[in-house]
């Protein structure tokens, strides 16, 4: 059976299944799972089916989160299931694996793009602030990147910046041009208004991830006076329109307690957030402040709290620095994602500002085969301990060597920073974190071994 026929059949089956569930999700979802088990091959997405069965049978916090999806605008919800679940995660992943094996390089699940380097804020510790503010990717360039990405199986696109919503019209236009893709944008939330909510309802395939660094004092100390209230207003608008959104958090030595508190999680859940992504502070840029790096005790506390909330809170949380075990280590270098800045430089990571190529004169596939990306491809994982995944933060000897071997150059055009200078700020951190990381990894392996023994 040809791939296009197979994909069309699968897409039709998913659409029919979604229509069946719509009327009464609580009653019909278990019935749908039973039908899938009865009529489809036993090994068809077996691992995913087992996980979904467990969620539905337990009727716990993950089940409550699933039901929240059915409180969303119906058109937005259907687009999410089609684009994110089917196109990006099922069909897309299969294509990515095929291309990766054929071309012997990493192929990303998601591509991060900076539509602009401009921003209406200047937050402490933001890596985007290190770029100039006059750089932009044209609409035509973004369209070309997405068209090339879909050929590789990539249907997930994430905007960073700068503040992406400075270019609202172009972002919505791209959603219209590529209705089969899912778009997410990190945003400070201050530019979300009634008109933009109506645009989101119309295109159906755009989801904001709003930056919030804790409660009002903690947030505004980094983002400026009044920022918290503007985010609160944006959340109220999105929730009132039954639109999906999440929260993006950068945790530091100053706000770690706020953002990992039960009160904070309850607050964002009550305000309608469906997911929260947590990013460890990275001292990127010549003027970055190493003092904001969390201590081992602070990072461990964040890790433990987030994992405990997953058992009780109806929100999808992802702690990128502490959850590497679920994705096999560092996901950069095209292994799961890459970053293209507002000048077009193709970078292995949103925090690693070095590159061998520019998208304006390089095809996306060729960029994935460029020297720095191949260094990532050959070296991953950078550490067998999944609490030490990063070649900059926990394995600081790796990054300068890869940059030197690849002949990559700094893509910070205002104040170029050498890889050696960058990791000079993370080496003390890495040394201090190692003992705690080893303890956590030993505990995790023991837990997994116990679970494996219990299932035999």
């Amino acid at each position: 059976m040809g791939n296009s026929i197979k994909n069309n059949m699968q897409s039709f089956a998913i659409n029919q299944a979604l229509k069946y569930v719509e009327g009464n999700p609580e009653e019909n979802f278990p019935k749908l799972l039973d039908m899938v088990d009865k009529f489809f091959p036993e090994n068809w997405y077996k691992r995913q089916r087992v996980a979904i069965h467990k969620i539905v049978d337990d009727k716990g916090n993950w089940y409550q989160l699933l039901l929240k999806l059915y409180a969303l605008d119906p058109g937005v919800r259907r687009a999410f299931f089609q684009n994110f679940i089917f196109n990006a995660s099922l069909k897309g992943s299969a294509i990515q694996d095929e291309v990766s094996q054929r071309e012997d390089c990493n192929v990303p699940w998601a591509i991060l793009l900076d539509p602009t380097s401009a921003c209406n804020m200047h937050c402490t510790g933001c890596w985007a602030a290190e770029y100039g503010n006059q750089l932009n990717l044209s609409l035509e360039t973004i369209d070309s990147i997405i068209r090339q990405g879909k050929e590789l199986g990539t249907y997930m696109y994430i905007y960073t910046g700068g503040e992406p919503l400075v270019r609202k019209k172009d972002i919505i236009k791209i959603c219209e041009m590529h209705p089969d893709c899912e778009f997410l944008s990190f945003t400070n939330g201050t530019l979300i208004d009634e008109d933009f909510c109506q645009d989101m309802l119309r295109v159906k395939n755009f989801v904001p991830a709003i930056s919030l660094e804790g409660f009002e004092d903690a947030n505004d100390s980094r983002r400026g006076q009044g920022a918290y209230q503007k985010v609160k207003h944006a959340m109220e608008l999105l929730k009132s329109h039954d639109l999906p959104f999440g929260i993006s958090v950068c945790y530091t030595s100053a706000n770690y307690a706020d953002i990992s508190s039960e009160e904070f999680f309850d607050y964002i859940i009550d305000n309608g957030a469906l997911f929260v992504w947590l990013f460890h502070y990275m001292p990127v840029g010549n003027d970055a402040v190493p003092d904001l790096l969390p201590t081992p005790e602070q990072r461990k506390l964040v890790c433990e709290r987030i994992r405990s909330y997953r058992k009780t809170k109806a929100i999808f949380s992802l702690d990128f620095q502490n959850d590497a075990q679920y994705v096999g280590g560092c996901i950069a270098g095209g292994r799961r994602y890459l970053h293209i800045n507002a000048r077009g430089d193709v970078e292995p990571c949103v925090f690693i500002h070095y590159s061998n190529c520019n998208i304006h004169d390089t095809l996306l596939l060729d960029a994935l085969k460029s020297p720095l990306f191949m260094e990532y491809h050959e070296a991953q994982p950078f550490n067998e301990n999944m609490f030490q995944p990063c070649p900059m933060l926990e394995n600081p000897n790796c990054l300068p060597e890869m940059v030197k071997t690849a002949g990559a150059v700094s893509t910070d055009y205002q104040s170029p920073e050498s890889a050696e200078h960058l990791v000079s700020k993370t080496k003390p951190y890495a040394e201090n974190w190692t003992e705690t990381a080893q303890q956590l990894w030993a505990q995790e392996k023991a837990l997994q071994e116990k679970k494996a023994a219990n299932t035999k």
Side-chain angles (χ1 to χ4, degrees), residues 316-330:
F316 176 77
S317 60
L318 189 59
D319 179 352
F320 282 87
Q321 213 61 33
N322 291 323
D323 284 341
Q325 70 188 80
Y326 304 117
V327 289
C330 171

Side-chain angles (χ1 to χ4, degrees), residues 29 54 124 174 186 194 222 232 259 273 330 347 399 411 416:
F29 209 92
K54 188 176 187 320
T124 304
I174 286 289
F186 294 109
E194 174 65 29
R222 183 167 182 238
K232 186 177 180 181
I259 60 90
C330 171
E347 302 169 336
L399 182 64
T411 53

Side-chain angles (χ1 to χ4, degrees), residues 258-271:
D258 244 26
I259 60 90
S260 64
S261 68
E262 188 166 13
E263 292 80 6
F264 180 73
F265 267 67
D266 288 343
Y267 172 74
I268 60 176
I269 291 170
D270 291 344
N271 279 276

Side-chain angles (χ1 to χ4, degrees), residues 99 103 105-113 141-157 333-334 337-340 344-347 357-370 373-374:
V99 175
E103 302 292 341
C105 66
N106 288 333
V107 176
W109 176 78
I111 293 177
L112 274 64
L113 301 164
T141 297
I142 297 173
D143 176 48
S144 173
I145 292 168
I146 295 170
R147 289 182 183 279
Q148 292 180 63
K150 287 196 287 189
E151 290 292 321
L152 305 179
T154 304
Y155 286 83
M156 185 73 201
Y157 294 88
Y337 92 100
L338 59 80
H339 177 240
I340 302 175
D345 299 304
V346 187
E347 302 169 336
C357 56
N358 190 286
I359 201 64
H360 292 116
D361 48 39
T362 309
L363 292 174
L364 183 58
L365 181 58
D366 290 336
L368 288 163
K369 294 181 176 181
S370 66
F373 275 77
M374 292 307 296

